[in-house]
Amino acid sequence: KTGTTKDISFSKEPYQHSHAIPLGGTKLLLQGSDLKKFGLNQIGDIYIYDYESGEKTAIDTSCSHTTGCSVGSDLKMGNHTDDEWPEDSEGRFYFIETTHGDSQVSRVDLKAEKIERVTSTPGAVLEIEGSGDMLIAAAMRGNGGPELYEIQLDGSEKRLTELNTHLLEEYEYSTP
């Protein structure tokens, strides 16, 4: 402890960070935006950033990974912010992203330097937690209410609870 502060900024220009995950040593998995393309609403790119050397390795610069679940529903309470991205034993990081009316689990593969979709079942993944080499998720599938699911790293899902299945029998639903 030296009592000093060191500037480890990604950019000397204005830059908005939405996620910064320590990878060990002086490296971070970073999502952020310079706001130049679309301003405040620009979705962040994903990088590996070595704050000591300043080296930036782009994993994805498509501005297309809206992290977190922004799918609205009368059956969902609150809004979870996907702050922590669970890591598996192969060093891949998992996050929730909203695409085309669904929210699904995706992962950042640091070795392959790419982002991959993990789940594809229609509905909304609300929250994920790592549990060894699988994920536990709170998710709404189809028109159903939130339930707990075990998600394998190949994307296969197993529902663990039946907390809200009775709602499908008690009420009429329309599929958007």
Side-chain angles (χ1 to χ4, degrees):
K1 295 182 177 183
T2 63
T4 62
T5 303
K6 180 180 179 182
D7 181 1
I8 61 168
S9 298
F10 183 81
S11 172
K12 300 300 178 201
E13 301 292 321
Y15 196 85
Q16 177 178 313
H17 299 91
S18 54
H19 290 89
I21 300 166
L23 297 176
T26 60
K27 292 187 177 182
L28 300 170
L29 176 59
L30 183 71
Q31 182 180 26
S33 167
D34 61 11
L35 310 176
K36 290 181 181 175
K37 258 187 186 171
F38 304 112
L40 290 175
N41 292 320
Q42 184 169 328
I43 298 166
D45 297 326
I46 298 176
Y47 296 90
I48 298 171
Y49 174 51
D50 185 323
Y51 59 81
E52 190 67 39
S53 69
E55 181 182 355
K56 303 167 188 171
T57 304
I59 301 295
D60 188 283
T61 58
S62 67
C63 301
S64 65
H65 296 283
T66 305
T67 57
C69 174
S70 61
V71 175
S73 169
D74 291 339
L75 297 173
K76 180 180 100 174
M77 292 179 60
N79 188 20
H80 175 70
T81 58
D82 190 22
D83 290 333
E84 294 187 26
W85 294 4
E87 180 181 8
D88 69 17
S89 62
E90 295 183 32
R92 299 176 297 191
F93 289 84
Y94 293 80
F95 65 96
I96 299 168
E97 72 174 315
T98 299
T99 57
H100 309 294
D102 288 329
S103 65
Q104 302 294 341
V105 176
S106 293
R107 71 176 151 231
V108 178
D109 186 329
L110 298 176
K111 292 176 188 165
E113 296 183 359
K114 67 179 182 176
I115 296 175
E116 308 168 303
R117 177 68 47 83
V118 176
T119 60
S120 59
T121 305
V125 177
L126 308 172
E127 223 174 304
I128 56 173
E129 292 295 331
S131 179
D133 269 350
M134 71 173 157
L135 302 169
I136 301 297
M140 298 185 308
R141 293 309 194 196
N143 285 337
E147 301 289 350
L148 292 178
Y149 289 82
E150 175 183 289
I151 299 177
Q152 298 299 320
L153 302 186
D154 66 0
S156 59
E157 299 179 15
K158 176 183 172 186
R159 188 170 60 210
L160 301 175
T161 61
E162 300 278 338
L163 300 171
N164 293 295
T165 54
H166 68 282
L167 296 173
L168 292 172
E169 297 167 6
E170 293 176 29
Y171 300 96
E172 291 185 33
Y173 292 90
S174 62
T175 301

